[in-house]
Amino acid sequence: MPRRTAPDSGQQPRLATIRDVAHHAGVSVATVSRILSGTYPSAPATRAKVMRAVRELDYVANAHARGLAGVRPKSVAIVVNSVVSPHYAHVAQGVHEEAAREGRLCIVGTTGGDPDRELAAIKLMRQEQAEAVILVGNIVADDAYRERMASYARALAQAGSQLVLCGRPPLGADVPAVVVEYDNTAGAHAITGHLLSAGHRRILFLGRRTGYTTPDSRIAGYRAALAEHRVPHDPDLEVDGTMERSEGHRMMRERLDRGPRDFTAVFAGNDLIAAGARDALRERGLRVPDDVSMAGFDDLPPAADIDLTTVHVPHEELGRTAVRLALRNDRPGAAQHVLLGTHIVVRDSVRRRPGV
Amino acid sequence: MPRRTAPDSGQQPRLATIRDVAHHAGVSVATVSRILSGTYPSAPATRAKVMRAVRELDYVANAHARGLAGVRPKSVAIVVNSVVSPHYAHVAQGVHEEAAREGRLCIVGTTGGDPDRELAAIKLMRQEQAEAVILVGNIVADDAYRERMASYARALAQAGSQLVLCGRPPLGADVPAVVVEYDNTAGAHAITGHLLSAGHRRILFLGRRTGYTTPDSRIAGYRAALAEHRVPHDPDLEVDGTMERSEGHRMMRERLDRGPRDFTAVFAGNDLIAAGARDALRERGLRVPDDVSMAGFDDLPPAADIDLTTVHVPHEELGRTAVRLALRNDRPGAAQHVLLGTHIVVRDSVRRRPGV
DNA sequence: CGCAGGAGTGTAAACGGTTTAACTCCCTTG
DNA sequence: CAAGGGAGTTAAACCGTTTACACTCCTGCG
């Protein structure tokens, strides 16, 4: 027996369907579908009738029915740690822009940095049949995790969705994923060089976090620049901490508490750390750049506010590129790797070392 | 003739369906569906067979088919101006949190502040059959717009989705929308009172924008506080501008260029304006709070960075409340209005007016 | 022994679209 | 004048689920 048995509770909200439109216009559903999709020829008179019915009934096609009927749902999924963090927000902005331009809608999942929640989010996106699943942000480069991620990439490819890793290293050539990165190492190398050229020799690095890809590659650039300038590398100048403002504050405070200041410049793992460190310096009566030079990484909002020389990362372009590659790439399954460049933004936070 | 005629191009990606699982496990699709939904009794042996098949085929249910089959799609839509703006980002964070807790996924649309794009986004969300559509942000309180919005609210209600307005004024008692606001006027009133209590009498207001609901209600609070303290209201102290950092800079620069400084304190329409204004002051050698006292509104990232006394707005709670009300509200169609409170956060940006 | 009733499963009808194949006109064309 | 063909339309199959209803056992009770 048909399910729509009960006309008792007429309260059930029911949207106009394509059948209603067809009936209203006195044509068949196929005609309505064709006219609305606009891909087939139709007589102007029929067209007018149908459009009028659509308007009068306020008809919008049910996205689920359409998706089910084989039209690939026009959606892009993005999975980030958090939507408030400027880093993710700017990449997401790029994703939204490009997705909107391409007429796709965006499904957003947040993970809070938890790998399990990340995998759960991917599964959800797979159910949704998103055209592309874009993963943003750094994560532990743990082997088991990489393996799981690779298998998800394959599952997604099989389902016809493209996995995109945005701002994290590739999983391997055999894994069907597009990778859009920016060059952390080169950026860190360049800005460390900037500090070295200003005569600084003892440069404190704030925000080491071994095992995490982003800080790892930034510190690699830092070390490479030191080596190139024949400045001895002192591991004691590398301070462990995460990439938060409060951590920057803590690291600098503890450093200053420890004994006399033994550095003339600071390279913060990102702008947030720089902002926190600057606060800690000020609490001790030290000013940037008069007493201490400072550089950051990211060029996100706090940087301009505190006049910080930093490495500009093309966050939004990262997001746009991710979408573009995912959608252009008609054959999900191909691995691809794009590396975007960075550049230094000079502001008033670095002084030439006195007496050099 | 069945459509799946062509076994020629076996390249077509095809996910495992419930039929595959049923076949693999040697049971009917209904049994699989029931076991997976977990709401019907089933024999342990059957259960095990099915679960094994699911695992082996890596089956995930197609969200569209499920949505179509009557299970209301578990999704919440949020429409914002931009995802990088901290204001929207924090509200969105609250929405994401609560949606995740409720097992809903989030569809995000951005408008760039364009009413047409906003309406287009709503239409898209309606197609997606989102349970709730949450609109965040202020917008021109234009009559034609309000009328269109009201009609969308009715259309959504008819489709079984709940419209939520977050941080904007209600459309009217007869419009089926939930409104979650915070009290702009009370907050502005309180913080203006704070400046007045410190002895300030000439308080510059930056960011007037007549016709826009948020700045309008903030300036209303400012004026009310002045009146209450019997301080004459000088319209010349209200400066027009939008709520951006660059605008804050411009407004203050132009003010200082105009002639001698005729105010001792500044109440910025939001923290971004405050940050920009502070920069402009510094360029003229004026410091906050030594030379000029300053207060803002919002308590978003730039505020803590620049040590700004400001009005704390419960952004994330706004988002959480929006989702909670939308989902609890089983009968979409009821209008509802919630007003969340704000409070002052005192930092180091206000000094007692010298000589008072 | 007959039968009620419950547990477990299967069958098939929806859900609301898209699309293939067929069909109807109507106009050329040989 | 019959055959051919294109434009416009329709009927019906199909997408992958959920679920109402039917059916089959099996148990327990009068």
Side-chain angles (χ1 to χ4, degrees):
Chain A
M1 194 187 252
R3 206 171 343 143
R4 203 188 305 163
T5 48
D8 48 56
S9 68
Q11 297 304 43
Q12 203 72 267
R14 220 182 68 79
L15 245 47
T17 74
I18 197 172
R19 253 169 277 267
D20 299 329
V21 174
H23 186 253
H24 199 81
V27 298
S28 76
V29 294
T31 302
V32 176
S33 173
R34 290 234 177 73
I35 285 177
L36 290 182
S37 80
T39 51
Y40 289 79
S42 59
T46 318
R47 212 187 127 68
K49 273 192 302 186
V50 169
M51 294 317 265
R52 213 174 65 106
V54 165
R55 222 172 313 113
E56 287 179 3
L57 298 178
D58 196 19
Y59 168 75
V60 283
N62 180 317
H64 296 105
R66 170 177 289 160
L68 185 54
V71 176
R72 261 200 96 61
K74 302 291 193 184
S75 61
V76 167
I78 167 170
V79 178
V80 297
N81 279 12
S82 137
V83 294
V84 288
S85 144
H87 171 80
Y88 301 119
H90 279 81
V91 176
Q93 173 69 16
V95 169
H96 277 97
E97 275 172 24
E98 191 67 21
R101 264 174 31 85
E102 299 281 352
R104 265 67 169 187
L105 57 76
C106 280
I107 305 174
V108 180
T110 57
T111 66
D114 176 356
D116 287 333
R117 278 180 61 190
E118 184 177 76
L119 294 172
I122 296 176
K123 183 172 168 189
L124 217 55
M125 302 318 182
R126 186 145 76 100
Q127 293 203 141
E128 288 296 321
Q129 318 252 86
E131 278 174 289
V133 177
I134 302 176
L135 263 39
V136 186
N138 71 326
I139 211 100
V140 213
D142 163 79
D143 267 359
Y145 175 81
R146 288 167 67 95
E147 201 38 68
R148 272 203 295 179
M149 193 51 71
S151 92
Y152 270 82
R154 279 184 270 267
L156 283 170
Q158 211 215 329
S161 329
Q162 176 67 60
L163 180 67
V164 182
L165 304 181
C166 207
R168 35 168 121 180
L171 291 168
D174 56 327
V175 180
V178 169
V179 177
V180 185
E181 272 190 293
Y182 53 91
D183 203 328
N184 274 302
T185 307
H189 183 277
I191 202 151
T192 308
H194 181 76
L195 291 170
L196 288 165
S197 309
H200 296 280
R201 286 300 172 265
R202 305 244 341 139
I203 303 171
L204 195 66
F205 182 93
L206 296 181
R208 182 174 63 183
R209 202 174 177 205
T210 309
Y212 285 75
T213 55
T214 304
D216 273 355
S217 30
R218 290 183 184 175
I219 211 168
Y222 161 80
R223 289 176 190 159
L226 290 179
E228 211 168 85
H229 283 247
R230 312 234 176 284
V231 173
H233 168 237
D234 180 358
D236 188 47
L237 284 173
E238 299 176 356
V239 185
D240 289 313
T242 64
M243 295 219 167
E244 288 151 47
R245 193 186 173 102
S246 58
E247 280 283 286
H249 189 272
R250 178 192 62 77
M251 289 187 277
M252 183 55 83
R253 182 166 33 78
E254 291 182 4
R255 185 74 183 192
L256 294 176
D257 283 349
R258 211 184 72 171
R261 178 162 62 87
D262 58 348
F263 55 88
T264 63
V266 175
F267 174 26
N270 73 2
D271 297 343
L272 291 173
I273 293 179
R278 175 171 156 279
D279 292 345
L281 283 167
R282 278 207 298 190
E283 286 166 13
R284 295 294 193 286
L286 295 170
R287 311 209 64 96
V288 174
D290 308 289
D291 305 310
V292 177
S293 287
M294 185 175 272
F297 207 116
D298 273 348
D299 194 23
L300 287 173
D305 301 6
I306 64 176
D307 248 341
L308 182 71
T309 292
T310 190
V311 179
H312 177 80
V313 173
H315 288 105
E316 306 193 1
E317 170 137 18
L318 219 57
R320 283 195 298 266
T321 306
V323 173
R324 216 173 299 132
L325 288 179
L327 298 186
R328 292 289 176 281
N329 200 17
D330 21 31
R331 172 193 305 276
Q336 215 179 125
H337 192 178
V338 173
L339 199 63
L340 299 180
T342 60
H343 63 262
I344 296 181
V345 176
V346 176
R347 296 201 184 88
D348 189 28
S349 71
V350 176
R351 287 281 159 80
R352 192 149 189 81
R353 177 161 68 102
V356 179
Chain B
M1 195 187 250
R3 199 166 352 139
R4 205 187 304 160
T5 47
D8 49 52
S9 68
Q11 296 304 43
Q12 203 71 268
R14 220 183 67 79
L15 245 46
T17 74
I18 198 171
R19 249 173 284 267
D20 299 329
V21 175
H23 186 252
H24 198 81
V27 298
S28 75
V29 294
T31 302
V32 175
S33 174
R34 283 196 274 253
I35 285 178
L36 291 181
S37 81
T39 50
Y40 290 79
S42 59
T46 318
R47 212 187 128 69
K49 274 192 300 185
V50 169
M51 294 316 265
R52 213 173 65 106
V54 166
R55 223 173 310 115
E56 287 177 3
L57 298 179
D58 195 20
Y59 168 76
V60 284
N62 180 317
H64 297 106
R66 170 175 290 162
L68 186 53
V71 176
R72 257 198 99 60
K74 302 292 193 185
S75 60
V76 167
I78 166 171
V79 178
V80 296
N81 279 12
S82 137
V83 295
V84 289
S85 144
H87 171 80
Y88 300 120
H90 279 80
V91 176
Q93 173 69 16
V95 170
H96 277 97
E97 274 173 25
E98 191 68 19
R101 265 173 31 84
E102 299 281 352
R104 263 68 168 188
L105 56 76
C106 280
I107 305 173
V108 179
T110 57
T111 66
D114 176 356
D116 288 333
R117 279 180 62 192
E118 183 177 79
L119 294 172
I122 296 177
K123 182 172 169 190
L124 217 57
M125 303 316 183
R126 187 146 76 100
Q127 293 203 146
E128 289 297 320
Q129 318 253 89
E131 279 173 289
V133 177
I134 302 177
L135 264 39
V136 186
N138 70 327
I139 212 100
V140 214
D142 163 78
D143 267 0
Y145 175 82
R146 287 165 67 95
E147 200 38 67
R148 272 204 295 180
M149 190 54 68
S151 92
Y152 270 82
R154 280 184 270 266
L156 283 168
Q158 210 216 329
S161 328
Q162 176 67 59
L163 180 67
V164 182
L165 304 181
C166 208
R168 34 169 121 177
L171 290 168
D174 56 328
V175 179
V178 170
V179 177
V180 185
E181 273 191 291
Y182 53 92
D183 202 329
N184 276 301
T185 307
H189 182 277
I191 202 150
T192 306
H194 181 75
L195 291 170
L196 289 165
S197 308
H200 296 280
R201 286 299 172 265
R202 305 242 346 138
I203 304 171
L204 194 66
F205 182 94
L206 296 181
R208 182 176 60 183
R209 202 175 177 205
T210 309
Y212 285 74
T213 54
T214 304
D216 273 354
S217 31
R218 289 184 185 174
I219 212 167
Y222 161 80
R223 289 176 191 159
L226 290 180
E228 211 167 85
H229 284 247
R230 313 236 176 281
V231 174
H233 169 238
D234 180 356
D236 187 48
L237 283 173
E238 299 176 356
V239 185
D240 289 312
T242 66
M243 293 219 167
E244 288 152 47
R245 193 187 173 101
S246 59
E247 280 283 285
H249 189 272
R250 177 191 64 75
M251 289 186 278
M252 183 55 84
R253 182 166 35 77
E254 292 181 2
R255 184 75 184 191
L256 294 176
D257 283 350
R258 212 184 71 171
R261 177 162 63 86
D262 59 348
F263 55 88
T264 62
V266 176
F267 174 25
N270 74 1
D271 296 344
L272 292 173
I273 292 178
R278 175 172 156 279
D279 292 345
L281 284 168
R282 278 206 298 188
E283 285 166 14
R284 295 296 192 286
L286 294 170
R287 311 209 65 95
V288 173
D290 308 287
D291 304 310
V292 176
S293 287
M294 185 176 272
F297 207 116
D298 272 349
D299 195 22
L300 287 173
D305 301 7
I306 63 176
D307 248 342
L308 182 70
T309 292
T310 190
V311 179
H312 176 81
V313 174
H315 288 104
E316 307 193 1
E317 169 136 17
L318 219 56
R320 284 196 297 266
T321 306
V323 174
R324 214 173 302 132
L325 288 179
L327 299 186
R328 292 288 176 282
N329 199 16
D330 21 32
R331 171 193 306 275
Q336 216 178 125
H337 192 179
V338 173
L339 198 63
L340 298 180
T342 60
H343 63 262
I344 296 182
V345 176
V346 176
R347 296 202 184 88
D348 189 27
S349 70
V350 176
R351 286 280 160 80
R352 192 146 191 83
R353 177 159 70 101
V356 179

